[in-house]
Amino acid sequence: MKKSWNALLVTALAAPQEAAALNNSVGLKPHMGWSSWNVAQCNAASARYALATADKFISLGLKDLGYEYINIDDCWSTKSRDGAGRLVPDPAKWPNGIKPVADKIHSMGLKFGLYGCAGEKTCAGYPGSQGHESGDAAQLAGWGVDFWKYDNCYTPCNQNPRPQTCNSPAGNTRTWYAPMRDAILGVQATRKLHFNLCNWGRDQVWTWGAQYGHSWRMSVDNWGDWASVERIGSAAAGISQYSGPGGFNDLDMLYLGSSKINANQGRLHFGLWAITKSPLVLGLDLEKISAETLAVVRNKGIIDINQDSLGKAATTFRPPGAAAPVGGKIYPYWAGPLSDGVVIGLCAGTSAGTYAVNFKDVPGLGGTRSYSWKEMYTGQTGTGTSVSFNIALHDMRVIKVTTA
Ligand code: GLA
């Protein structure tokens, strides 16, 4: 039987069973927050961005909705370690170091994350953690870091010299992650970190990720265009069974509101990431976010579905008469269990039209009874044995059907 990260934590802490796992561990729901990378890559890896974003979490009401982690991605350190082998925050970006920023963010009721890499260097060429895992974990714990994204550049593979990106297949990538996992377990008594594996879905990470971390990137990057939403969203359907409390498929940062994606595509992007229980991490500059995008990412009904305590990811289902899924395209019909019902996602991924389902055909519903439902983007509600929506191209409807 697969040993979960939470089980490992319990073992490591030798703490009393169930309650200890719940009280002591993180990642029991998909994490919600913000990451600097899509905002301005290396230029956004600064105290200024972290603190400005924390302020926006409060003023825009995002914190109240569950957005919690302020995560700084690649390029926050200097290009070399100090004489003692420690990572050094770039003084131009962190004039007072990391700790005062983490402290300030904690004082606002939020959490703070950083980025590192399992190889010799990060993807952007900053120091990686290979061979420095326990020292780096101790540094993170000392600074009060809550979240550690761990990338897979300049990792060992059968290529010489070591490339930035190993060819696929790259062999057993678990060995890249085990030393840092163990180092993080080693500092659990002082700091509980969320460990986010970023290996771009290599080596079927979803089959082993829960033994190594709390979430794992299941694809290469979301490049902010519709093709990325199609590529990543369609791939999520086949791996839904691996997501659950303590270990979630990470579909990558949310990129809606960019010039490469329209409003319909943004709603599908957010809705599909939410129902497949991906972490909801805004890759947006909150100083510039539009009212339209804000309305999507603040949709409480959809956030509540993402954060449902059951933590079960939706996947596709095929109603009678519907065409079979096509690889790489977003299938229209999705459903997943909730603690008090079922979520149905209807996606006009390939054509606009009328999308209807009879509840008797939906996994988790069935029978001939009538159900109450609510559609979360339009606010429409109803009671009956089916739903039907006219959906514009690339838009989505997210319907919660209550069974309680
Ligand atoms: C990789 C990751 C991205 C980002 C960059 C930073 O490409 O997949 O999410 O962290 O590295 O260099």
Side-chain angles (χ1 to χ4, degrees), residues 5-230:
W5 173 256
N6 291 330
L8 283 166
L9 286 187
V10 171
T11 312
L13 294 168
Q17 314 287 323
E18 292 284 307
L22 287 173
N23 293 338
N24 291 341
S25 50
V26 293
L28 297 177
K29 295 179 177 182
H31 60 277
M32 295 177 63
W34 171 92
S35 163
S36 60
W37 187 248
N38 295 355
V39 174
Q41 291 75 44
C42 286
N43 293 333
S46 68
R48 186 178 70 74
Y49 265 101
L51 294 170
T53 303
D55 283 339
K56 286 286 179 190
F57 268 32
I58 310 290
S59 64
L60 296 175
L62 294 166
K63 179 192 168 198
D64 290 341
L65 287 161
Y67 290 94
E68 187 177 25
Y69 288 90
I70 309 282
N71 290 344
I72 294 294
D73 209 278
D74 207 350
C75 318
W76 58 269
S77 74
T78 54
K79 283 268 170 117
S80 344
R81 292 173 178 269
D82 70 10
R86 286 177 301 225
L87 291 165
V88 182
D90 181 343
K93 292 172 176 164
W94 307 87
N96 303 311
I98 300 285
K99 187 155 190 328
V101 177
D103 287 348
K104 171 74 181 156
I105 287 173
H106 292 149
S107 76
M108 298 166 81
L110 298 168
K111 293 191 166 137
F112 178 71
L114 280 178
Y115 162 102
C117 188
E120 288 170 341
K121 288 187 278 187
T122 71
C123 297
Y126 292 77
S129 291
Q130 192 185 345
H132 296 271
E133 290 86 357
S134 46
D136 290 356
Q139 261 190 295
L140 298 174
W143 287 334
V145 172
D146 303 290
F147 182 102
W148 184 231
K149 171 176 170 180
Y150 207 48
D151 217 328
N152 75 126
C153 284
Y154 299 99
T155 34
C157 52
N158 299 329
Q159 289 171 263
N160 221 338
R162 210 182 258 211
Q164 191 232 28
T165 304
C166 292
N167 287 334
S168 283
N172 181 354
T173 71
R174 278 164 247 204
T175 55
W176 303 349
Y177 287 90
M180 185 52 88
R181 185 264 320 265
D182 295 342
I184 287 175
L185 282 169
V187 299
Q188 286 292 332
T190 50
R191 196 85 207 154
K192 293 182 284 292
L193 282 103
H194 181 124
F195 191 34
N196 174 251
L197 317 178
C198 179
N199 86 341
W200 308 327
R202 290 177 188 278
D203 203 12
Q204 300 196 306
V205 61
W206 44 87
T207 62
W208 51 268
Q211 297 164 38
Y212 288 73
H214 302 95
S215 54
W216 49 86
R217 282 273 304 279
M218 42 62 83
S219 73
V220 293
D221 292 16
N222 176 1
W223 306 116
D225 51 10
W226 172 246
S228 295
V229 173
E230 281 191 302

Side-chain angles (χ1 to χ4, degrees), residues 362-381:
V362 176
L365 294 178
T368 52
R369 63 167 273 205
S370 159
Y371 293 96
S372 296
W373 56 266
K374 178 174 183 184
E375 199 291 311
M376 298 301 176
Y377 279 131
T378 59
Q380 217 178 314
T381 57

Side-chain angles (χ1 to χ4, degrees), residues 182-368:
D182 295 342
I184 287 175
L185 282 169
V187 299
Q188 286 292 332
T190 50
R191 196 85 207 154
K192 293 182 284 292
L193 282 103
H194 181 124
F195 191 34
N196 174 251
L197 317 178
C198 179
N199 86 341
W200 308 327
R202 290 177 188 278
D203 203 12
Q204 300 196 306
V205 61
W206 44 87
T207 62
W208 51 268
Q211 297 164 38
Y212 288 73
H214 302 95
S215 54
W216 49 86
R217 282 273 304 279
M218 42 62 83
S219 73
V220 293
D221 292 16
N222 176 1
W223 306 116
D225 51 10
W226 172 246
S228 295
V229 173
E230 281 191 302
R231 168 176 52 82
I232 300 171
S234 60
I239 57 173
S240 61
Q241 69 272 32
Y242 299 106
S243 246
F248 291 99
N249 292 320
D250 178 352
L251 276 58
D252 202 7
M253 294 163 270
L254 295 159
Y255 227 137
L256 55 163
S258 88
S259 57
K260 292 189 269 183
I261 197 166
N262 68 31
N264 293 357
Q265 293 165 347
R267 273 188 293 273
L268 188 146
H269 178 11
F270 186 74
L272 194 54
W273 266 230
I275 70 170
T276 54
K277 301 292 189 278
S278 173
L280 299 178
V281 178
L282 306 170
L284 316 167
D285 188 339
L286 297 183
E287 303 278 349
K288 298 182 186 151
I289 192 168
S290 69
E292 189 176 50
T293 301
L294 205 47
V296 176
V297 303
R298 288 202 300 205
N299 188 306
K300 182 161 166 35
I302 295 180
I303 291 170
D304 286 348
I305 287 167
N306 176 259
Q307 297 289 297
D308 181 73
S309 59
L310 214 53
K312 293 270 188 209
T315 187
T316 51
F317 70 98
R318 190 175 172 188
V326 175
K329 298 289 170 197
I330 305 286
Y331 195 62
Y333 307 101
W334 295 70
L338 300 173
S339 53
D340 58 350
V342 167
V343 60
I344 300 173
L346 297 177
C347 297
T350 48
S351 56
T354 303
Y355 291 87
V357 283
N358 291 315
F359 293 144
K360 69 177 171 49
D361 299 326
V362 176
L365 294 178
T368 52

